[in-house]
Structure formats: structure tokens, C-alpha cells
Amino acid sequence: MLSDDRRSNRGPGSLEGPTLRADLRTVTQTQRESHGSRARTLQHQQRNQTLQMARVAGSSFFQEARLPEQRAVEGVAFPAVLVPSGGPPAEGSHDEFLAAVRSERASRLEPLLREAGAVLLRGFPARTAADFDRAVDAFGYEELPYVGGAAPRSNVVGRVFTANESPPDQKIPFHHEMAQVPTFPAKLFFFCEVEPKSGGETPIVLSHYVYKRMNEKFPEFVEKLEKHGLIYTRVLGEGDDPSSPIGRGWHSTFLTKDKTVAEERAANLGMTLEWTDDAVKTVMGPIPAVKWDEVRMRKIWFNSMVAAYTGWKDARNDPVKAVTLVHGSPLPADVIEECGKILEEECVAVLWQQGDILLIDNWAVLHSRRSFKPPRRVLASLCK
């Protein structure tokens, strides 16, 4: 008869069968995890090599795509939409995206922006404000300090700010960014960190096309605007009022709490200040309402006429008085109404998705914001 040790095929002092099987399972699991880790590393290396080979071969990291919301304006897709050419990005590929932006900015991204006026980057590995900040930096544009703007905004990280902190039920009308001051951004970025529950789009419209339609319908009014410009008037409290779409106080508007410094900075913008006990009235203008886009060689509807007349309203401000013709003459209400209709008719509103980056040429495109149901977090960055 075989001994117990021989029957169990183990010698004296060997491990019990169940323990041995458990250890074998542990070793096997460790091997699988190690193999999986090596496989992922190899897959990432192969992806990098493929991307490098593609770039060497002249292929682009970016691929144009089409969305249902896009429209063709004079034969050009608006906005341009770019997605990753190799499909969804691999985990940890944010550095690849940044490198591609740097390497293809001059050859691919800038020409597309000049042609379309706006470029939506979708499906790339940007998920946080810090990711967005690095992406903006990769484009290489110089930051523009937010001096003279009306929207209440807070710095989030680096050169990234909240887009507008006004309540979600408020619509922000179409405008060129900081059109009411002489120093305005040439480029602006928007980034969707949190998708809206509903609504919350950032509609965009081509400025030269708005000018074209307005000039066809109201040639005499447009001629007057081109000749004399507009005057913008706004009353500011000391601190920001987040309940108002134009609630930026004079402390943050001029980046100082010193009235003398504020007056100097206002003067540099061509703005006059009239102080009261707890507020200041700012008067800007006359400032051009129609500009000449030297890059594209065309006239643009570069103003915040509709935005000011319909949206610059709060406890301190009357929107009808917020924007006027020279000598304070009120704007004709029927012209404002028709211009608002043209802006809505010609605009494109793409639903935000998390990670979307929208690059806008402020010389070419007006933008707005629709009301929404929270949550929604869209960030912004302004560039020279």
C-alpha cells in the first residue's frame, strides 16, 4: 500500500494541495497582470511609432469630420471640425495631442482657422481645466489680459477663466469679444469641462455674412455706422455681480482698487469715467461698429450692438441707453430686431460634448450663449 505522501504525490513537509493551488493561481494572476502591463506598454509604443511614421509620411494627427449642425457658407464648412485621425486617443496620449498641435499649427490648424473662422476640436484627450490650459499654451498665442470686458469671470488655472458666470436661465446675445473696447482678443478658446444637461450651446455666426445681409437691408443705417461708429455706456459697481451678464465690477474690470489707476487704464482704452458714491459710469466711444478684416480682405460686423441693446440690463443699467449712435441718439428698435433675426438665422449651434475645444477667430466670428439646465461648465481663454 502506498503511503499517504505517495498517494498525494508530495513528500514530507510539502505544502497542502489547496495551498499549492492557491499559490499557483496567485503566480498565474501575477503573470497575467505582468503580461497585460507589457502588452499595454507595447500597444502604446506601437501607437506612438505608427503616429510618428504617419507624420514622417506626411499624414496628419488631425482628420476633418462632419456634424449635422454644420452649414456651408460660401462653399466652406462652418465651423471646421477636427477629430483624431487614428480614432479615439489612447489613455495618456495628451502629450501626443499637444505635440501635434505644435507641429501642425502653422501647416494645418492656422490655414483651416483662416478659411473657416472657427475650428472645433472633438475627441481629443482634454478633460480638465489644466489639460485645456496646456492645450492653449501649445498653440503659442500670447495671452490677452481681460481689461475692459463686461462679463463676470474667475480665474481657474493659468490662463483659463470661467466663460461667464451669469445665471443659467439668462441668454447672452451675439457679440464679438470685447468689441466695445479698442484692445480685444484676436483669438478665443472655449472648452467644455462639463456637458450641459440641456441647452447651453455657444452659437457662432460669420461676421462678414451678417454685414452683407445688414447692408442689403439697411444700407443707410450701415453707412451711418461705418462713418460714425457707436457709443457704449455701462454703470459698474465696485465688486462683481454674478446675477448679471454684465456684472463685472470696476475693481476687476480695471484690475485695481485704486481709482487713479482705474482712470489711467480707462484712458488707455479711450474710455471716460464718471464717479458716483458707490459706482462708476463708463463711456466708450465713438468706436467703429464695422471693421476691415485685413487677412480675409472683407468688412465685418464688429460690434456688440444687439448684445448691449438687448442684454446689458441689470439693476444699474438700461440696455436702450447702453449703446447709442453719436451724440446719444438711440438706435432704431426695428433695426436691432431685424439684426437679431439675421444673427439667429445664420448661426450654427453645436451641442457641447465633454472635452470639446472651440477655437474662434474673433475677427471673423460672433458668438453667444443659450440658456441651459445645469450642470454646465465651459471655460475660456483670450489671446492676442
Side-chain angles (χ1 to χ4, degrees):
M1 180 180 293
L2 295 174
S3 68
D4 290 341
D5 288 342
R6 290 176 66 187
R7 283 198 303 270
S8 60
N9 196 29
R10 65 183 190 275
S14 63
L15 297 173
E16 293 294 329
T19 304
L20 177 60
R21 287 193 294 273
D23 280 359
L24 287 173
R25 284 196 298 270
T26 301
V27 171
T28 302
Q29 178 65 24
T30 302
Q31 289 174 337
R32 280 200 298 266
E33 291 175 354
S34 177
H35 177 73
S37 178
R38 287 197 301 271
R40 285 191 297 272
T41 301
L42 180 60
Q43 183 182 34
H44 188 63
Q45 291 173 345
Q46 289 173 338
R47 175 180 171 83
N48 287 342
Q49 291 171 357
T50 300
L51 289 170
Q52 290 169 1
M53 290 172 63
R55 285 194 282 272
V56 169
S59 299
S60 173
F61 186 87
F62 305 94
Q63 176 179 317
E64 288 194 56
R66 292 288 179 264
L67 296 177
E69 299 94 336
Q70 280 175 293
R71 65 190 305 169
V73 180
E74 298 174 351
V76 177
F78 177 72
V81 178
L82 293 178
V83 298
S85 59
E91 183 179 349
S93 61
H94 190 59
D95 288 340
E96 297 171 16
F97 168 56
L98 300 179
V101 168
R102 294 186 186 99
S103 65
E104 296 193 49
R105 192 192 98 177
S107 62
R108 184 78 189 278
L109 302 179
E110 285 281 3
L112 193 59
L113 182 64
R114 280 195 298 271
E115 180 183 44
V119 178
L120 175 66
L121 299 165
R122 171 164 286 180
F124 296 96
R127 292 292 178 268
T128 67
D131 290 343
F132 175 48
D133 186 49
R134 293 177 66 198
V136 172
D137 186 66
F139 274 86
Y141 302 130
E142 187 178 350
E143 182 181 7
L144 180 78
Y146 188 47
V147 179
R153 288 174 173 164
S154 301
N155 181 241
V156 178
V157 60
R159 54 198 294 178
V160 173
F161 290 77
T162 53
N164 191 307
E165 297 176 4
S166 60
D169 62 335
Q170 294 184 3
K171 173 185 174 182
I172 299 174
F174 280 100
H175 60 285
H176 278 280
E177 189 67 25
M178 298 173 67
Q180 73 277 11
V181 292
T183 303
F184 50 85
K187 310 282 194 306
L188 52 146
F189 290 84
F190 291 106
F191 169 69
C192 180
E193 187 175 35
V194 179
E195 294 178 19
K197 185 175 181 180
S198 65
E201 300 95 334
T202 301
I204 54 177
V205 61
L206 286 162
S207 188
H208 76 286
Y209 209 70
V210 177
Y211 170 82
K212 178 182 176 181
R213 288 197 56 184
M214 285 295 292
N215 196 38
E216 290 171 351
K217 194 166 187 67
F218 304 105
E220 293 182 2
F221 174 78
V222 172
E223 182 182 6
K224 186 181 296 185
L225 281 189
E226 292 191 55
K227 185 176 181 180
H228 300 294
L230 291 168
I231 295 177
Y232 296 92
T233 302
R234 190 163 63 94
V235 180
L236 290 65
E238 287 187 351
D240 290 354
D241 177 8
S243 69
S244 167
I246 56 164
R248 201 162 185 238
W250 70 263
H251 287 175
S252 55
T253 296
F254 301 111
L255 304 179
T256 183
K257 294 183 179 180
D258 187 320
K259 289 184 178 181
T260 301
V261 175
E263 287 175 352
E264 291 174 356
R265 292 177 178 171
N268 290 336
L269 294 172
M271 181 186 295
T272 60
L273 303 184
E274 300 175 14
W275 297 97
T276 62
D277 291 340
D278 63 345
V280 60
K281 179 181 178 181
T282 67
V283 181
M284 183 71 232
I287 192 166
V290 174
K291 291 184 182 290
W292 178 255
D293 182 351
E294 294 184 358
V295 173
R296 300 170 183 86
M297 303 298 288
R298 61 197 186 192
K299 289 182 178 180
I300 52 175
W301 190 252
F302 199 93
N303 60 71
S304 295
M305 184 179 77
V306 172
Y309 192 94
T310 64
W312 285 18
K313 181 180 181 180
D314 60 18
R316 299 178 186 272
N317 291 276
D318 177 356
V320 175
K321 297 178 181 178
V323 57
T324 61
L325 297 171
V326 178
H327 308 306
S329 303
L331 294 170
D334 61 323
V335 174
I336 297 291
E337 182 180 3
E338 188 62 29
C339 186
K341 290 179 181 179
I342 290 172
L343 288 163
E344 289 293 338
E345 289 170 4
E346 300 297 339
C347 79
V348 172
V350 178
L351 292 171
W352 282 114
Q353 291 185 10
Q354 185 193 23
D356 280 353
I357 296 176
L358 178 62
L359 170 57
I360 291 176
D361 188 327
N362 197 36
W363 277 94
V365 171
L366 301 97
H367 67 280
S368 67
R369 188 198 76 179
R370 290 181 177 169
S371 59
F372 63 93
K373 290 185 178 179
R376 177 190 188 266
R377 186 170 168 85
V378 174
L379 306 178
S381 186
L382 309 180
C383 306
K384 294 182 179 179

